[in-house]
Amino acid sequence: MTSDGGALLSVRGLTRAGIDIPDFELAAGEALAVLGPSGSGKSLLRRALADMDENEGDNRLHGDARDAMAAPDWRRRVSYVAAESGWWDENVAAHFTDWEAVAPLAKRLGLPAEAGNWLISRLSTGERQRLALVRALVQEPDLLLLDEPTSGLDPDSEKATEEILAERLAGGNAILFSTHDADQAGRLARRCLRFAKGGAAEISPCR
Amino acid sequence: MPLIALDYWDIAVAALLLMVNAGLSIWLQLGLARDTLIAAARMVVQLSLMGLLLKLLFSLVSPLWTALFALAMVLFAGREAMARQERRLAGWWGYGVGTTAMLAAAAVVTVFALTTQVQPDPWYNPRYAIPMLGMILGNTMTGVALGLHTLTTTAVREKAAIEARLALGHPREAALRHVVAAALRTALMPIVNAMAATGLVALPGMMTGQILSGVDPVEAVKYQILIMFLIAGGTGFGALTAVLAAAARITDGRHRLRLDRLAAKRG
């Protein structure tokens, strides 16, 4: 079933304690930047869209209602990357189904093929952040929910990350990302969702 | 060799040792004399009451009273298991999950032993049922409490890892697998260690008691081995039930981690 004029994501009547979100749609290839002070609800919105917290609303992906599909199926298509990345095994490769297949993508973000053997406990914050992004990207989700995807990265990694995200957009995916960088918001997105203190949000052109 | 019965004079003589302890405390100003005497008095009163109660219960051989007595033991064990957890489930679940698991595990294992191995007449004879339930329950309680404690504290500590797996589309069973495994390992460790050390480091209380009451040591050992197997079975069954039920409770049908269903950390 495809409705909504082909919108990739449609969000109607989203209700979650702490945030007040207007109805919105994201087209294929569109990025939405989320701006606002810390604690205003940026991460609550991403968690609600990934169905990580209790929330209500008619959320659809290519017209498929979220509540009609199992949560794991929804999350493989709507990929939430938390600010604090989580790891459950000792080395990097154990967190991927096939590290060999992932290595080329990781290499573009400055992570060598032998990073698969690295111990999680010895990774830097930036390495964890890039690996968590790679882990989400290889699942080929329709929609990416990212938290400041380039904060704390060196200029080369930042540029590579933005290039990869732009490719995903060109390939028909959508991205919702929070950022403190108005320039980055403008580079990737045309529309911005701005949170005020207290959790109320509205959408307007970024510039 | 028959049982050498003690008269009250024998006990009074042994109580002199307690007086020595109290005297020592006063002489060295340890401040323990009062506490020692109160504790000793409590022990005498509590054990005497329990002795009278058990004597009454054993003379009745009533299935109803035996079941009620057993139920009361389980309910007290439930309170004790709950008190040993740092982060317990909020509301009725905090008491209910552990107590229900212990009730099921201890009941199944005790009835199994009474009806197939020990076979007293009648099978619910409280002289056998109550002491065996007590030994199984005491160890199952430790396993259940350790398992639940480890599950909830690990889930809180590993929140980022669990939610990373959920966000990648792993079902909640997979996302919690390493936490559930850690909880069950911790729950079963004491009984595994106890089996390995029994007979070398310590002579178990029940076996010692049977030997003192005149039972052939080889027969006492057979009983002790049976009891250890029953304890291992009860602990495994009880801990598995409690940990899986609690793991289901700290997640929901939409595969979310629900740490909001844990009560606030205590003091």
Side-chain angles (χ1 to χ4, degrees), chain B residues 33-105:
Chain B
R34 198 182 138 82
D35 288 349
T36 307
L37 293 181
I38 290 176
R42 277 190 59 168
M43 176 191 74
V44 170
V45 172
Q46 286 164 196
L47 281 181
S48 303
L49 283 176
M50 182 56 80
L52 292 174
L53 209 55
L54 287 177
K55 187 165 185 167
L56 181 65
L57 192 69
F58 292 175
S59 67
L60 289 175
V61 195
S62 141
L64 177 68
W65 285 110
T66 306
L68 284 178
F69 195 91
L71 184 66
M73 288 167 71
V74 172
L75 296 181
F76 278 114
R79 278 202 69 80
E80 185 63 29
M82 184 175 76
R84 293 186 193 178
Q85 293 167 52
E86 190 178 293
R87 297 299 307 268
R88 57 171 178 252
L89 293 169
W92 184 86
W93 294 87
Y95 181 70
V97 166
T99 311
T100 310
M102 276 190 276
L103 180 64

Side-chain angles (χ1 to χ4, degrees), chain B residues 57-234:
Chain B
L57 192 69
F58 292 175
S59 67
L60 289 175
V61 195
S62 141
L64 177 68
W65 285 110
T66 306
L68 284 178
F69 195 91
L71 184 66
M73 288 167 71
V74 172
L75 296 181
F76 278 114
R79 278 202 69 80
E80 185 63 29
M82 184 175 76
R84 293 186 193 178
Q85 293 167 52
E86 190 178 293
R87 297 299 307 268
R88 57 171 178 252
L89 293 169
W92 184 86
W93 294 87
Y95 181 70
V97 166
T99 311
T100 310
M102 276 190 276
L103 180 64
V108 165
V109 172
T110 307
V111 171
F112 167 68
L114 289 174
T115 52
T116 60
Q117 294 120 55
V118 182
Q119 292 185 317
D121 181 33
W123 69 268
Y124 54 80
N125 190 333
R127 179 177 290 278
Y128 289 86
I130 296 299
M132 287 180 61
L133 176 69
M135 284 184 284
I136 294 164
L137 195 57
N139 289 275
T140 303
M141 178 181 80
T142 306
V144 165
L146 280 174
L148 290 176
H149 174 82
T150 309
L151 179 83
T152 52
T153 51
T154 311
V156 170
R157 198 182 64 226
E158 300 275 308
K159 175 175 190 263
I162 296 164
E163 290 207 321
R165 300 193 76 163
L166 294 173
L168 288 165
H170 299 185
R172 57 174 163 167
E173 296 79 10
L176 275 179
R177 188 165 297 142
H178 70 292
V179 182
V180 167
L184 289 178
R185 253 197 312 275
T186 309
L188 293 178
M189 202 70 81
I191 179 63
V192 173
N193 289 342
M195 284 195 290
T198 294
L200 290 178
V201 181
L203 291 182
M206 185 199 73
M207 192 180 97
T208 319
Q210 282 196 319
I211 292 174
L212 281 178
S213 63
V215 173
D216 174 2
V218 173
E219 290 305 311
V221 162
K222 276 158 62 182
Y223 252 92
Q224 186 62 44
I225 291 173
L226 174 78
I227 284 292
M228 292 302 268
F229 286 155
L230 296 177
I231 287 173

